[in-house]
Every structure is written in structure tokens, then in C-alpha cells.
Amino acid sequence: MSHLFTARRAAAAIVTAALVVPLAACGGSSGKKDGGSASGGSTAKTDLTVLAAASLTDVFKKAGAVYEKEHPGVKLNFSFAGSQELAAQVKQGAPADALVTADTKTMDGLRADAGTPTVIAKNRLVIATGPGNPKKVGSLKDLADSKLKVVLAAPEVPVGRYSKKVLDAQELTVKPVSQEPNVRAVLSKVELGEADAGIVYKTDAATAPKKVDAIDIPDAQNAVASYPAATLKTSKHADAAAAFVKWLSTPEAQQLLQQAGFQKP
């Protein structure tokens, strides 16, 4: 009788063990589902929103791809517009992590919102005309011809302010057919033939070599545009934003900027 009781207990133990193993396996599977990978690693990326002057559109897209490749934990989201529009967004509390403007004046107006800025590049103005320069524009003086359709950026836009500065210095009165919200809009008007000429940055004209000609403006008559970059105090990723801003001054980033026609800071 004791032998029979012992055998039954052994059999029960085997059945219990058989049930526990699958349950344990289920428990392990559930743990992986809730807790991610077994190693505890995370594939989440830090999303950085960078507000940048419209004239940086092409070069920043290239630079961003390089930066993301070197920093796989970071995803860069660029928002390009006129510097004055970007400043308005910052003052209105738009969520962003870093800002790069096309002038120091705009950045200086955001001292309460941004960290200490660093100039990462400089630029100069050129006169953009249609391919082959059909109106034979040769200098700033030609822009004062009332028969010429000239388009400029609005005076509150950095490139518009620079344009006004160089024209005023030459005592020239130019009546534009339109005033645009950013330099890319000026360039587009010339590309589409809606204007005979426009004042843009050298780097912008270089992005459309088959659609516009670039007429150089002598240094003595030109203006130098500075591009300061800074982190924003409302950033939720202050360290990552600071790292990107710092990277813009590295030899690698500077090479990309200079290849695009920007000058050394």
C-alpha cells in the first residue's frame, strides 16, 4: 500500500512539472513583449527640430544626412524659412531645439530664448538673372533701370536688409516688382522668368546654375552675411542640441558648407 501511495505521488510530481514548464515559458514570452529586447537595449531616437534660414536648405540637408549617419541615435528635422519668420516662431513658443539665422541682428533679438550663438559661416550677395543674362545686367547700377523687372526680399528679411544696405550705399533707387519673404522666393521668381533680376546670396544662385546666371558684386560694394547658430532654451534635448550646434563648427561640417559656396566664419 505504501508503495502504491509513493508511486502516485511521483506521478503527480511529474504532471505538475510538465505543467510548470510551459507556464514558465509563457511568462518569459510575456516579459519580452512588455519589456522590449532581452538585452534591455532601446532603439528610440532623439528627434531634434532645427530652425534654419532658407539659404541653408540644400547644404543642411546634406549635412543632416552625414550627422545622422555618424550619430544613429539622433533624427534631425529641419524647418527652413526666412530668419524673421523663424524668430517669430521661437517667440511664439514653437517647439524646437536649435536655430540658425542668416544674420546676427535676428539672433541678437532672441537673447532671452537662445543660448550663446556661434557664427558657423558667412555669405555674400550676387545679382541673379535669367540664363545667359538676356537683359545684360552688369552691376547694381543697372537694377535702377525702370524697364528692368527686379525682385528683392522684403526689408525685414536678412537678405532684403543686406540688399537695401548695398543699394543705399550706392545711392541707387530700385523699385522692385515684388518683395519676397525669403531668399529662395526671390530666386524662384528669377528662375520662372517672373523677374529679370534679383539680389540673392551667392550660395543660392549656385543651387540653380542652369536656371540663373550669377553676376558678382564687387567686395567694396557688397555685404557680408553672418550665420549664427544657437540652442534654444526651451529644448527638451539640450545636450543633443548643443552637440549638433558644436558639430557645425567642425572641419567636416565646415567642408560641406564651403563646398556649397559659404565662406569661413
Side-chain angles (χ1 to χ4, degrees), residues 139-151:
S139 67
L140 289 172
K141 184 178 180 180
D142 294 332
L143 300 182
D145 186 343
S146 60
K147 296 179 182 179
L148 199 68
K149 291 191 294 184
V150 179
V151 62

Side-chain angles (χ1 to χ4, degrees), residues 54-58 123-131 149-154 157 159-160 163 177-215 260 262:
S55 50
L56 292 166
T57 300
D58 295 79
N123 213 340
R124 288 182 179 273
L125 303 177
V126 297
I127 301 169
T129 71
K149 291 191 294 184
V150 179
V151 62
L152 300 173
V157 184
V159 69
S163 299
V177 294
S178 69
Q179 293 183 317
E180 303 300 320
N182 60 66
V183 69
R184 285 304 171 96
V186 175
L187 184 68
S188 178
K189 289 281 187 178
V190 179
E191 286 179 347
L192 295 172
E194 296 176 13
D196 299 319
I199 297 180
V200 300
Y201 294 121
K202 180 178 180 179
T203 54
D204 289 284
T207 66
K210 296 181 180 180
K211 296 181 179 180
V212 301
D213 278 10
I215 311 303
F262 288 88

Side-chain angles (χ1 to χ4, degrees), residues 51 79-92 99 106 156-158 181-182:
L51 307 180
S79 178
F80 300 103
S83 296
Q84 82 293 343
E85 184 178 336
L86 299 176
Q89 292 177 22
V90 171
K91 290 180 179 179
Q92 291 166 7
L99 171 69
T106 300
E156 62 268 20
V157 184
N182 60 66

Side-chain angles (χ1 to χ4, degrees), residues 94-118:
D97 302 286
L99 171 69
V100 188
T101 62
D103 67 334
T104 55
K105 182 177 180 179
T106 300
M107 186 66 80
D108 288 344
L110 296 170
R111 289 178 180 174
D113 307 282
T116 303
T118 300

